[in-house]
């Protein structure tokens, strides 16, 4: 690990100021469960690490008539026990799937949303695109966990965030501050992620010196949601594929729906086709199945990951069925 300065701001303004120096060659430290690994492997080498844990405004969950606002430092355990988040079943489903108690205690929602890919080529030093002598080693290599959608360009990794699909299905917005003092914007999570075309680009819109401070979710009342992750169940584990569904069901018919898949593409992957397959219909095995089929119709699997197409289809089907199932009185939780 290279030497670095350590800074510990206590306000958002101080954090932005500290992140903006050194030409933005700085890194945000939240729970640190991934950043420290990236630094040890010298995959990132910031001149300064800005530990945001002492910025009080980033720790809270608050609610108003329009929804809830979650600070980026809220941990997965805190999300699970927070009454204001009890009605967001799709988020609770994801938390239950993170089986490491250490990660649930230390890992933060901001750290999850900004997580760098777990692609082993990236982690072994081949850059985000997995290049060797300018050529992709992923396309012809061990790509069993890589993308099956959105993979025609040079990026073949899958987005690592476990919460982004559920948050996107809810129509979340994120608050980003910096790099200049008083710069503040709310961005739809839909447009927060990007697929890099070069190794120098990142996986989100965040520029050096910027900080994600809060996530805003609309009110959960009268909406149904669920996430379904297909895991190998080997302890510390990332999904092979996942899906989150958010449904507005009136008189047994789906009036509106969003379906977002995870771990299948370089970004969280919204399937409008899957939503279209269930809107105007009741949720049944057959309609959920057709949504699953629609979600993977355009898949372009790589040499070793054809199996993920089937897994993703099942995740979509089961997320939709589980969301509909949550309407039953015995499964309902208060918001
Ligand atoms: C051994 C190990 C096992 C793991 N196992 C699992 C697992 O089984 N399942 C799982 O889902 N995850 C797992 N994780 C992943 C991960 O650590 C979690 O997803 C966690 O939520 C990340 O949060 P953090 O606060 O620790 O992030 P950090 O490590 O602090 O940050 C992660 C990245 O996000 C950036 N960042 C953090 N917060 C912000 C912010 N507010 N604004 C801008 N950038 C920010 C950091 O600079 C860094 O690049 C594992 C990690 C490790 C090290």
């Amino acid at each position: 690990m290279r030497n670095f300065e350590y800074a510990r701001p206590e306000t958002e303004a101080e954090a932005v100021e500290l992140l903006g120096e050194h030409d933005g060659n700085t890194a945000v430290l939240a729970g640190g469960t991934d950043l420290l690994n990236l630094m040890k492997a010298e995959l990132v080498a910031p001149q300064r690490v800005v530990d945001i844990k002492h910025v009080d405004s980033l720790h809270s969950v608050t609610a108003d008539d329009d929804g809830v606002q979650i600070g980026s430092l809220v941990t997965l355990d805190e999300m699970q026990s927070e009454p204001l988040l009890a009605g967001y079943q799709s988020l609770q489903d994801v938390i239950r799937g993170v089986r490491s108690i250490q990660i649930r205690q230390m890992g933060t929602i901001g750290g999850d949303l900004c997580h760098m890919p777990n692609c082993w080529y990236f982690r072994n030093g081949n850059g985000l695109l997995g290049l060797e002598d300018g050529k992709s080693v992923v396309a012809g290599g061990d790509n069993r966990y890589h993308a099956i959608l959105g993979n025609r360009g040079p990026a073949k990794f899958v987005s690592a965030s476990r919460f982004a699909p559920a948050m996107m299905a809810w129509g979340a917005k994120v608050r980003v501050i910096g790099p200049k003092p008083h710069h503040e914007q709310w961005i739809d999570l839909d447009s927060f992620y990007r697929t890099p075309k070069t190794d120098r680009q990142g996986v989100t819109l965040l520029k050096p010196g910027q900080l994600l401070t809060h996530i805003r979710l609309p009110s959960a009342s009268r909406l149904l949601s669920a996430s379904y992750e297909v895991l190998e169940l080997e302890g510390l584990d990332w999904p092979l594929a996942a899906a989150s569904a958010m449904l507005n069901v009136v008189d047994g018919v789906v009036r509106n729906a969003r379906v977002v898949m995870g771990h299948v593409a370089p970004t969280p992957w919204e399937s409008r086709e899957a939503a279209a397959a269930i809107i105007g219909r009741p949720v049944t095995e057959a309609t959920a199945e057709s949504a699953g089929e629609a979600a993977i119709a355009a898949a372009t699997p790589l040499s070793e990951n054809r199996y993920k197409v089937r897994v993703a289809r099942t995740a979509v089907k089961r997320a939709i069925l589980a969301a509909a199932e949550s309407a039953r009185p015995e499964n309902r939780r208060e918001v």
Side-chain angles (χ1 to χ4, degrees):
M1 190 189 284
R2 308 231 185 117
N3 286 343
F4 59 88
E5 288 173 21
Y6 172 81
R8 214 184 83 168
E10 292 185 357
T11 65
E12 293 181 10
E14 276 172 24
V16 166
E17 194 182 327
L18 289 160
L19 285 166
E21 292 171 1
H22 294 310
D23 288 330
N25 185 16
T26 54
V28 176
L29 176 73
T33 58
D34 194 47
L35 180 70
L36 295 180
N37 286 343
L38 293 169
M39 289 174 64
K40 279 188 212 157
E42 298 194 1
L43 295 171
V44 297
Q47 270 179 270
R48 174 184 290 158
V49 168
V50 179
D51 180 351
I52 57 173
K53 279 195 289 296
H54 299 270
V55 180
D56 283 347
S57 60
L58 308 181
H59 284 277
S60 57
V61 181
T62 55
D64 57 28
D65 288 347
D66 297 330
V68 296
Q69 189 160 302
I70 309 169
S72 66
L73 283 178
V74 175
T75 64
L76 309 192
D77 264 354
E78 288 165 347
M79 283 175 65
Q80 188 171 37
S81 57
E82 171 56 62
L84 294 173
L85 298 176
Y88 296 87
Q89 186 187 311
S90 55
L91 298 182
Q92 300 297 337
D93 290 341
V94 177
I95 297 167
R96 279 194 295 275
V98 180
R99 282 158 210 276
S100 152
I101 50 174
Q102 291 91 341
I103 295 294
R104 285 159 59 134
Q105 257 178 29
M106 292 294 294
T108 65
I109 186 63
D112 173 84
L113 293 177
C114 298
H115 206 281
M116 294 298 284
N118 290 313
C119 163
W120 41 44
Y121 295 103
F122 165 63
R123 298 276 165 171
N124 284 332
N126 291 101
L128 263 184
L129 304 181
L131 302 178
E132 227 169 64
D133 301 327
K135 293 215 175 89
S136 169
V137 283
V138 186
D142 187 345
N143 50 40
R144 73 186 107 147
Y145 298 127
H146 288 74
I148 54 167
L149 285 158
N151 59 1
R152 289 183 189 273
K156 315 281 186 207
F157 61 82
V158 294
S159 165
S161 172
R162 283 180 76 166
F163 288 90
M167 295 270 184
M168 267 174 65
W170 276 107
K173 289 179 186 295
V174 289
R175 178 173 175 262
V176 172
I177 58 172
K180 295 243 161 60
H182 312 302
H183 272 188
E184 173 192 358
Q185 51 186 322
W186 281 95
I187 303 172
D188 287 336
L189 195 59
D190 296 11
S191 43
F192 182 68
Y193 292 97
R194 70 171 176 194
T195 302
K197 296 202 170 51
T198 73
D199 263 333
R200 300 177 71 81
Q201 295 176 335
V203 296
T204 70
L205 291 184
L206 285 182
K207 297 194 205 67
Q210 288 189 314
L211 177 68
L212 187 161
T213 66
H214 295 88
I215 302 112
R216 203 170 164 83
L217 298 174
S219 164
S221 60
R222 292 191 293 280
L223 297 174
L224 306 175
S225 74
S227 298
Y228 193 91
E229 298 185 321
V230 181
L231 293 151
E232 286 182 305
L233 294 179
E234 289 184 358
L236 296 176
D237 201 4
W238 301 90
L240 300 171
S244 294
M246 191 279 295
L247 309 177
N248 183 11
V249 178
V250 181
D251 297 332
V253 173
V254 179
R255 299 290 176 202
N256 193 16
R258 287 191 80 178
V259 177
V260 184
M261 289 184 277
H263 305 272
V264 295
T267 62
W269 193 263
E270 175 163 19
S271 175
R272 295 210 163 79
E273 298 79 5
I278 46 168
I279 289 174
R281 301 188 179 155
V283 174
T284 62
E285 278 279 320
T287 56
E289 180 116 23
S290 61
E293 288 292 346
I296 49 84
T300 51
L302 302 170
S303 55
E304 307 288 328
N305 69 3
R306 183 160 292 278
Y307 77 98
K308 280 186 70 164
V309 177
R310 197 177 64 245
V311 172
R313 182 182 60 199
T314 303
V316 168
K317 173 184 168 183
R318 291 190 191 240
I320 291 170
L321 287 173
E325 195 62 14
S326 69
R328 291 177 173 225
E330 65 272 25
N331 294 336
R332 271 198 92 65
R333 290 180 224 170
E334 288 311 310
V335 183

